[in-house]
């Protein structure tokens, strides 16, 4: 994780195909100082995590190109330290279990409150160790 204690250094990737939800989440996170990238497909989300340092992924499960569970599994395999929060309309108990077992750190059912999302994000980030001081290597 690249944070230095200031939330504006937390890089969040939102993988959400719904325009209204994506814009709402992106604007809400930005207004609270998070660095946000938003993409609408699982494939583009995986490409972004390979291209950019990412601390947190907010992941929808119903994506147009692939199932979000597959995205979560691949993210967990390739980026074991990334925080994954699933944001989905799938609300059955088995869906929550499968999502968490696929590697997600948290699971929120739509519709969700932005304030609850922000609180859960803060709670998860509090538990993460800070990045090492300095950046010059050595």
């Amino acid at each position: 994780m690249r944070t230095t204690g200031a939330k504006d250094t937390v890089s969040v990737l939102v993988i959400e195909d719904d325009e209204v939800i994506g814009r709402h989440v992106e604007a809400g996170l930005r207004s609270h100082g998070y660095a946000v990238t938003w993409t609408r497909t699982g494939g583009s989300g995986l490409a972004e995590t390979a291209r950019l340092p990412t601390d947190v992924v907010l992941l929808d499960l119903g994506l147009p190109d692939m199932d979000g569970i597959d995205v979560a599994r691949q993210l967990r395999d390739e980026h074991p330290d990334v925080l994954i929060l699933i944001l989905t309309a799938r609300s059955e108990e088995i869906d929550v279990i499968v999502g968490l077992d696929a590697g997600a750190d948290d699971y929120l059912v739509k519709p969700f409150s932005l304030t609850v999302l922000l609180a859960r994000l803060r709670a998860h980030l509090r538990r993460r160790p800070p990045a090492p001081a300095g950046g010059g290597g050595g």
Side-chain angles (χ1 to χ4, degrees):
M1 187 157 138
R2 300 177 308 106
T3 61
T4 59
K7 65 184 174 190
D8 62 335
T9 62
V10 175
S11 173
V12 180
L13 173 65
V14 179
I15 306 174
E16 169 62 62
D17 66 319
D18 184 280
E19 180 89 16
V20 172
I21 294 170
R23 288 200 186 281
H24 179 68
V25 170
E26 179 183 36
L29 291 170
R30 284 188 193 281
S31 73
H32 284 83
Y34 294 94
V36 182
T37 302
W38 172 31
T39 186
R40 292 182 173 97
T41 67
S44 61
L46 291 169
E48 286 296 311
T49 57
R51 189 177 73 80
L52 296 172
T54 304
D55 298 314
V56 179
V57 174
L58 302 181
L59 175 63
D60 182 22
L61 295 183
L63 299 169
D65 61 335
M66 60 194 300
D67 190 271
I69 294 296
D70 295 328
V71 176
R73 286 186 181 119
Q74 191 168 339
L75 283 170
R76 184 55 64 221
D77 287 345
E78 296 174 4
H79 308 280
D81 294 331
V82 74
L83 177 62
I84 302 170
L85 283 80
I86 291 177
L87 309 176
T88 185
R90 298 181 194 173
S91 62
E92 297 295 320
E93 183 176 303
I94 189 65
D95 295 318
V96 177
I97 293 166
V98 169
L100 294 171
D101 285 347
D105 297 289
D106 206 345
Y107 194 106
L108 283 83
V109 176
K110 295 175 185 174
F112 56 87
S113 159
L114 181 62
T115 55
V116 170
L117 170 61
L118 290 165
R120 287 183 180 216
L121 184 55
R122 287 191 307 271
H124 284 290
L125 292 172
R126 257 195 316 268
R127 290 171 181 83
R128 297 228 144 174

